[in-house]
Amino acid sequence: MKNDSLIHWHSMFMGVALLAAARSKDARKRNGACIVGPDNKISGVGYNGLPRGCDDHDEHYWQDDDSDPLNSRHSYIVHAEQNAILNCTSLPLHGSTIYATQYPCPRCVQSIIQVGIKRVVYLDKKAHQERVNAASEKMLADAGVEIESLQALQPESAEWSAELAQFIETSTTNR
Ligand SMILES: O=c1[nH]c(=O)n([C@H]2C[C@H](O)[C@@H](COP(=O)(O)O)O2)cc1CO
Ligand SMILES: [Zn+2]
């Protein structure tokens, strides 16, 4: 008998992004991203973390001094969206959609545009990063890349994703 009880495509792809986020070692924020082709095939997944070979246990990488690039975590962490692009298993990414757990920063937006991704679907948007988000938004608009919140696109998927995020948050303890 056929089972009609299944999740929406948007839930699946944001769910994959959230599962990837659960692998992140960043105690401040765990982000994930999933790139999907027009045929609903996943071509790349990533989460925020240090480049390969850089030791996660080296506290130097996680320092918070933004006045000194050598001692700032921002010099070292590869963003989730960037990792999803770098990890992609099929090219080109023209016409793809990227599902991101967070509204992408301008640097990631540059890469998103340059590889030909045509749509961004995000889960959360940090209100206090209004100016940064506006910079991302301007580039995306000028480049003709659509950006929409999962909440606006598919409210049920957004609700489902928020529950999954909560479950991951409470159930991941270094396993
Ligand atoms: O778009 C993003 N994608 C992404 O993976 N991140 C990562 C970088 C850091 O590891 C973590 C927290 O970012 P921040 O320190 O900029 O608040 O989330 C952060 C952003 C937004 O800045
Ligand atoms: Zn970014």
Side-chain angles (χ1 to χ4, degrees):
M1 197 173 75
K2 184 166 155 283
N3 188 351
D4 283 325
S5 167
L6 44 79
I7 61 170
H8 199 281
W9 278 121
H10 296 306
S11 304
M12 173 174 158
F13 299 135
M14 192 58 83
V16 169
L18 286 165
L19 285 174
R23 282 293 311 168
S24 176
K25 318 285 188 308
D26 190 341
R28 193 193 284 174
K29 180 77 172 80
R30 301 192 291 183
N31 278 313
C34 174
I35 302 172
V36 182
D39 48 7
N40 282 338
K41 285 186 189 168
I42 292 175
S43 32
V45 173
Y47 58 85
N48 54 324
L50 297 176
R52 263 183 213 96
C54 299
D55 186 359
D56 291 321
H57 298 101
D58 183 344
E59 289 299 325
H60 181 99
Y61 289 125
W62 303 104
Q63 293 178 96
D64 263 328
D65 182 3
D66 281 340
S67 70
D68 179 0
L70 183 64
N71 295 328
S72 167
R73 65 218 311 279
H74 290 115
S75 298
Y76 303 113
I77 299 169
V78 185
H79 285 193
E81 302 87 335
Q82 194 83 48
N83 263 331
I85 290 169
L86 294 168
N87 291 341
C88 76
T89 51
S90 65
L91 284 168
L93 296 178
H94 286 110
S96 298
T97 296
I98 187 164
Y99 289 77
T101 55
Q102 194 179 319
Y103 197 94
C105 76
R107 275 293 165 91
C108 287
V109 161
Q110 291 165 357
S111 298
I112 286 168
I113 292 168
Q114 294 300 70
V115 295
I117 291 172
K118 280 291 167 229
R119 185 162 71 140
V120 179
V121 178
Y122 66 91
L123 192 57
D124 295 322
K125 189 178 192 178
K126 284 188 183 168
H128 69 274
Q129 290 191 351
E130 194 188 337
R131 303 289 288 174
V132 176
N133 292 339
S136 291
E137 195 177 335
K138 174 167 175 50
M139 280 189 284
L140 289 166
D142 286 350
V145 178
E146 205 182 333
I147 182 156
E148 48 198 333
S149 71
L150 187 58
Q151 179 63 44
L153 183 65
Q154 235 283 323
E156 279 174 29
S157 289
E159 199 178 316
W160 184 91
S161 298
E163 278 177 32
L164 178 62
Q166 187 61 35
F167 171 76
I168 290 171
E169 203 55 47
T170 53
S171 67
T172 41
T173 50
N174 203 20
R175 271 175 281 209

